[in-house]
Amino acid sequence: MADTPWLVVGLGNPGPKYAGNRHNVGQMVLDLLAERTGSRFAKHTRAQATVAETRLGTLPGGAPGPRVILAKPTTYMNTSGGPVSALAQYYGIDAEHVLAVHDEVDIPFDAIKLKGSGGEGGHNGLRDISKALGTREYTRVRVGVGRPPGRMDTADYVLRDFSGTERKDLPMLIGDAADAVEMVVTEGLLAAQGKYHQRV
């Protein structure tokens, strides 16, 4: 139903120190979605997050797309669950209408995969969200950042900025992820998977 709002959460760490990190690509995607819809983030009164309320896409016949609450937790990645749970309760949104956008080391850089439920793959932000919501039944847009080179620790890798080469293609990756979010909320997960999984 078009009237059922979605809670779209961009995962990352707060502050300018982390803004360009691979771990913050989810928040980069939300910044683009807000820019596209002309909406602005503001501090939420009941949750540790900044939010922007908007609509995404258009429905058949040209009607505005579903209501969406774009949210960026202002906690650190590993404690993302509290803000997500608080916002879901505040807006009356069930887990099936929660969508988390996050970095994924098990997917090559420049690829996107979508998932409707399941494990967290070692991602601490997702693990905390699953714990706070009491379920793994929420949607994820997984933005590929690739594996760390050599023996570099994964935690060190995701807390580094994208390389110069990657930065050339980053706008396209973020744009694809934003398109995928919009497709999920307007056409459904299966349609979005059908489009984006063919590319991987």
Side-chain angles (χ1 to χ4, degrees):
M1 284 175 33
D3 290 339
T4 304
W6 280 83
L7 174 60
V8 179
V9 184
L11 299 188
N13 287 312
K17 175 182 175 183
Y18 300 100
N21 288 181
R22 293 180 178 91
H23 223 19
N24 275 48
V25 72
Q27 297 200 348
M28 298 175 197
V29 173
L30 260 70
D31 287 337
L32 178 58
L33 286 168
E35 182 182 319
R36 285 180 177 180
T37 58
S39 51
R40 303 180 80 169
F41 287 97
K43 187 175 180 180
H44 198 271
T45 56
R46 300 285 182 87
Q48 290 179 283
T50 58
V51 301
E53 297 186 39
T54 186
R55 288 185 179 269
L56 280 184
T58 52
L59 298 174
R67 281 183 56 219
V68 174
I69 291 90
L70 304 174
K72 298 190 293 184
T74 52
T75 59
Y76 284 93
M77 173 72 84
N78 294 359
T79 52
S80 299
V84 174
S85 177
L87 290 169
Q89 289 178 22
Y90 180 84
Y91 290 103
I93 297 172
D94 59 26
E96 291 180 358
H97 280 83
V98 173
L99 190 161
V101 188
H102 65 90
D103 60 308
E104 180 57 72
V105 295
D106 290 328
I107 298 173
F109 175 80
D110 83 2
I112 293 164
K113 293 195 82 171
L114 300 99
K115 190 172 171 180
S117 63
E120 297 87 7
H123 196 289
N124 290 330
L126 293 179
R127 188 177 290 132
D128 201 60
I129 291 172
S130 298
K131 181 179 177 183
L133 292 178
T135 181
R136 292 173 167 175
E137 302 290 320
Y138 56 92
T139 304
R140 305 96 188 268
V141 171
R142 307 159 72 204
V143 185
V145 296
R147 301 289 309 175
R151 296 184 178 182
M152 183 186 292
D153 182 71
T154 301
D156 290 339
Y157 176 71
V158 296
L159 290 174
R160 292 190 180 190
D161 286 1
F162 287 97
S163 69
T165 304
E166 289 170 335
R167 279 198 292 270
K168 293 177 184 175
D169 295 322
L170 188 57
M172 186 176 297
L173 176 65
I174 292 170
D176 282 348
D179 291 345
V181 170
E182 186 172 314
M183 194 169 185
V184 169
V185 303
T186 56
E187 298 181 43
L189 177 62
L190 290 179
Q193 286 176 325
K195 177 176 181 178
Y196 289 94
H197 288 189
Q198 290 176 3
R199 302 183 181 184
V200 180

